[in-house]
Amino acid sequence: MEETDMPTLRQMVLENSRRININEMQIKEMRMKNTEQSQKDREREERWEESRRKHDLDMEEIWALQKAFQRQMIESSARNDLALKKSREEFDKRMLESQERHDRDMAEIKELHAEMNKNIREATDEIKSAAGEIKRAAANVDKMVVEIRGITGHIVEGLISTTTEKIFQNAGLDLYNKGKDIKRKLKAKNLMSETR
């Protein structure tokens, strides 16, 4: 019995030894895996730390750019406001000057218009006065023409009648009374220029 027990015991020791070896190998493998995993974790942590540092640097740069941009925007806005204010002031000044010029021009135009109306009224009055004088002068001329016709008619009649009577008397014809009849007939027919 002891003999059979010994091989069994040996076999058990060998089996245990084999299991221990397997266990040790598994532990080594696990340790190796743990080491690799730790190495990977460390690398991952380093990469994450590097990424975080880069991210922080990028964010600082972005914040600096944002601050610079905001500063530029404020400065640009201030410049634009100043330029707009100057432009508005210049525009208002030009508008005021233009309005003043317009008002002066309108005042001059009104003065010229009033003066032109005055001149037109004076010229119209002068024309009316001259027309009245022309009418009076024309009436005087007509009157003078009538008077001149009357005078010349008397002169011509006196010359003709006297001369004619003398010519007929020298010829032995007495037309004195007959001449008066002729005058009455001419007068009745309205052929004489003047009546006595």
Side-chain angles (χ1 to χ4, degrees):
M1 209 162 185
E2 286 180 9
E3 285 181 13
T4 57
D5 283 341
M6 272 311 266
T8 306
L9 188 63
R10 267 189 210 149
Q11 199 172 8
M12 287 177 63
V13 167
L14 285 172
E15 180 66 24
N16 278 340
S17 181
R18 188 181 65 79
R19 285 183 182 168
I20 288 170
N21 285 337
I22 289 171
N23 284 339
E24 283 178 356
M25 284 180 61
Q26 286 176 346
I27 288 170
K28 280 183 183 178
E29 285 177 4
M30 285 179 69
R31 281 183 183 162
M32 284 179 65
K33 284 182 181 178
N34 284 340
T35 304
E36 288 176 4
Q37 185 65 35
S38 296
Q39 181 68 25
K40 287 179 181 178
D41 289 343
R42 276 195 302 275
E43 288 175 359
R44 190 180 302 116
E45 284 178 10
E46 286 174 1
R47 284 196 303 272
W48 183 85
E49 189 66 28
E50 181 68 21
S51 174
R52 190 178 60 78
R53 277 197 302 272
K54 284 182 181 179
H55 172 73
D56 291 345
L57 289 173
D58 290 343
M59 287 305 294
E60 286 177 8
E61 187 177 350
I62 288 169
W63 287 331
L65 288 171
Q66 186 177 6
K67 286 179 182 176
F69 176 73
Q70 287 175 344
R71 189 175 58 253
Q72 288 175 353
M73 285 297 292
I74 291 169
E75 292 172 357
S76 175
S77 178
R79 282 194 304 270
N80 288 341
D81 289 345
L82 183 63
L84 183 63
K85 183 180 177 184
K86 286 182 180 178
S87 175
R88 188 180 296 118
E89 288 173 355
E90 183 67 21
F91 175 77
D92 291 342
K93 180 182 173 185
R94 288 187 180 179
M95 281 298 292
L96 183 62
E97 290 173 355
S98 175
Q99 185 65 41
E100 288 173 354
R101 277 197 305 272
H102 173 73
D103 292 344
R104 282 195 305 271
D105 292 344
M106 287 304 294
E108 288 178 11
I109 288 169
K110 284 180 181 176
E111 287 177 8
L112 288 171
H113 187 64
E115 187 176 347
M116 187 175 68
N117 284 340
K118 180 184 172 186
N119 290 339
I120 289 171
R121 281 194 302 273
E122 289 175 356
T124 302
D125 292 342
E126 288 177 7
I127 290 169
K128 286 179 181 177
S129 176
E133 289 179 11
I134 290 169
K135 285 181 181 177
R136 285 191 294 276
N140 288 337
V141 168
D142 288 344
K143 187 177 176 184
M144 289 171 64
V145 167
V146 169
E147 289 176 358
I148 290 171
R149 282 183 185 165
I151 293 169
T152 53
H154 288 300
I155 292 170
V156 171
E157 285 178 9
L159 288 173
I160 291 174
S161 63
T162 307
T163 307
T164 306
E165 284 181 19
K166 284 184 182 177
I167 291 171
F168 284 121
Q169 283 174 359
N170 288 338
L173 297 170
D174 184 15
L175 297 174
Y176 184 70
N177 290 331
K178 292 180 181 177
K180 287 184 180 179
D181 291 337
I182 292 171
K183 286 180 187 177
R184 277 194 286 275
K185 288 179 183 175
L186 291 174
K187 184 179 176 185
K189 292 183 180 180
N190 201 13
L191 295 176
M192 289 183 63
S193 62
E194 293 294 334
T195 59
R196 292 192 230 195

